[in-house]
Amino acid sequence: MDKRRFLLVLQREYYSIVAKKSFILTTLLSPFIMIALIGVPVMLMEFNTGDARTITVIDQSGKYADKFTDSEDFEYQILPDISTSDMKERYEEADGDIYAILVIPADVDDSHIVNIYSEKPVKMSLSREISDVLGKSLSETRINSFDIPGLKEIIAESNITVDVKSHTWDESGESVSSSELATMTGLFLAFLTYMFVLMYGAMIMSSVVEDKTNRIVEVIVSTCRPMELMLGKIISIALVGLTQIAIWTVLLSIGGFLLSIAGLFTASPEIATTAMGVGAGTPMPQMPDGEMPEFIQAILGVNWFRLLGIFVLYFIGGYLLYASLFAAFGSAVDQQSDANQFTMPVMMIIIIALLIGQACMENPDGTLGVICSLIPFTSPIVMMIRLPYDVPAWEIAASIIILYATAILFTWLAARIYRTGILMYGRKVSFKEILRWVK
């Protein structure tokens, strides 16, 4: 392989992509979209606060109506016991001033059921608030019915929460660890691998198909070998990806800093919890005393240099493996729409690898995780899930060797497919014919 021709192809492919307006717009807008996914829900919750809605309470038991207190979302008014027909008449006369009518039956202590009447289904936050208030009140009533002095205090003191602190031993001694941190880190690295391999693999296929459509490849292969052209495309796309990731990192850092200054990350607990899918008025869970320092110790206790270094090795190996397949299949078609029959199996393998990785989170050292960490098509994703759990060095070494050996083999096979397919036009190609090209 001639290095000069290879570098010329790499330079051409790199600049032909990064100079496109679509690439520039996508690269610049993507971080803002990611930031908007975080900031917009919080801002919308601030603007979505309306006037408190009136809830009419009819307490047939005569014991629980006064347990409800007004909040930012709901105001409660107590009415005497009336019939169902009178309730509907009262609701219609209110002409929208009453949001719903809550009826607490006389046998609520035994049935534990209350009824809400309204013109349309009520908000889930109202059902949750009623359930919480009456649940606590019914519990207190049941406790008091036993007529045991100090029983309420005894039960309160008996509700004990056990805080499990994880520690690991290594050569340097004992250190604090966190299973939650390991799970989140592994899942994040696996998702990054999944997303980038699919995104940049599809970019390679688009580039190959575009060259075939424009017939420019006929001129290029007259001056360089197909292997030089294919490797130039694969490595140039890898450099494009690194450029894009570097720009995103800078823009996201700046955006996060600006959002923190604007105070969007310091919204009220009610707004923050509602934006995360928790009901309005639900208090933000408080972290136990001393929890944050230990969590920080767990973060500092992770060998991030080793973790990210191995991640880069798997990312490069996985990218080379799948990129060669995308390039080979892209050379076998004339249009992007015809590539689905070849790309779908590759995409399914990547998706299955991600699903296997998620299944291995509960048992990272299980047989499924070990086997799939050695299979080159699944190891770049599955090993990312297992990596924070201190995988044995021999498994990592064997997995990387198998991955890179397979990537080199498939790159060579892909070059044979690319050599034939890149100059073939106007015909449908099957998997059987592609195998014949390899032979």
Side-chain angles (χ1 to χ4, degrees), residues 394-408:
W394 73 266
E395 288 187 25
I396 298 176
S399 177
I400 291 177
I401 292 173
I402 295 173
L403 173 62
Y404 276 82
T406 307
I408 293 173

Side-chain angles (χ1 to χ4, degrees), residues 36-247:
L37 293 176
I38 300 174
V40 169
V42 177
M43 297 176 63
L44 291 178
M45 292 309 304
E46 292 181 342
F47 291 109
N48 196 34
T49 55
D51 297 334
R53 302 188 178 188
T54 301
I55 310 299
T56 299
V57 181
I58 299 176
D59 186 6
Q60 298 174 347
S61 68
K63 297 186 292 186
Y64 300 109
D66 58 348
K67 301 295 183 181
F68 294 92
T69 57
D70 295 342
S71 62
E72 294 182 358
D73 296 323
F74 304 107
E75 293 180 351
Y76 297 92
Q77 60 176 213
I78 302 173
L79 288 182
D81 188 11
I82 54 179
S83 63
T84 304
S85 58
D86 291 338
M87 279 191 294
K88 185 176 181 181
E89 183 178 349
R90 179 62 181 269
Y91 183 90
E92 293 175 350
E93 289 177 354
D95 194 21
D97 292 336
I98 297 177
Y99 177 65
I101 298 178
L102 169 63
V103 178
I104 304 175
D107 62 344
V108 67
D109 293 292
D110 298 322
S111 65
H112 305 158
I113 297 174
V114 296
N115 302 296
I116 299 179
Y117 298 91
S118 63
E119 193 174 47
K120 57 184 179 180
V122 298
K123 297 170 61 176
M124 290 183 61
S125 57
L126 174 60
S127 300
R128 188 163 43 241
E129 185 171 319
I130 293 173
S131 178
D132 291 341
V133 171
L134 285 178
K136 293 178 182 179
S137 300
L138 290 173
S139 297
E140 292 179 359
T141 303
R142 179 63 61 86
I143 292 172
N144 294 331
S145 67
F146 292 110
D147 198 20
I148 300 176
L151 179 59
K152 184 177 180 180
E153 290 75 14
I154 294 173
I155 293 177
E157 293 177 0
S158 301
N159 292 328
I160 299 173
T161 301
V162 177
D163 185 14
V164 180
K165 299 179 180 180
S166 181
H167 301 264
T168 56
W169 286 303
D170 52 24
E171 296 178 355
S172 60
E174 181 181 324
S175 61
V176 178
S177 63
S178 172
S179 300
E180 292 79 7
L181 175 62
T183 300
M184 290 188 297
T185 302
L187 190 60
F188 177 72
L189 294 179
F191 184 75
L192 278 183
T193 305
Y194 163 81
M195 181 179 68
F196 289 145
V197 166
L198 277 183
M199 182 169 60
Y200 298 125
M203 194 178 294
I204 289 175
M205 176 170 285
S206 298
S207 176
V208 173
V209 174
E210 183 180 356
D211 285 349
K212 286 193 65 175
T213 303
N214 298 334
R215 297 297 181 100
I216 193 174
V217 69
E218 298 177 1
V219 179
I220 297 176
V221 296
S222 64
T223 57
C224 69
R225 299 174 60 185
M227 173 67 84
E228 296 167 352
L229 178 59
M230 191 189 75
L231 286 180
K233 285 183 176 294
I234 291 175
I235 297 178
S236 65
I237 298 296
L239 295 177
V240 169
L242 293 175
T243 302
Q244 205 167 36
I245 292 173
I247 295 174

Side-chain angles (χ1 to χ4, degrees), residues 5 38 62 96 119 127 147 157 186 264 290 317 331 334 337 396 413 431:
R5 293 198 299 260
I38 300 174
E119 193 174 47
S127 300
D147 198 20
E157 293 177 0
L264 293 180
S331 66
D334 295 336
S337 58
I396 298 176
L413 295 175
F431 280 103

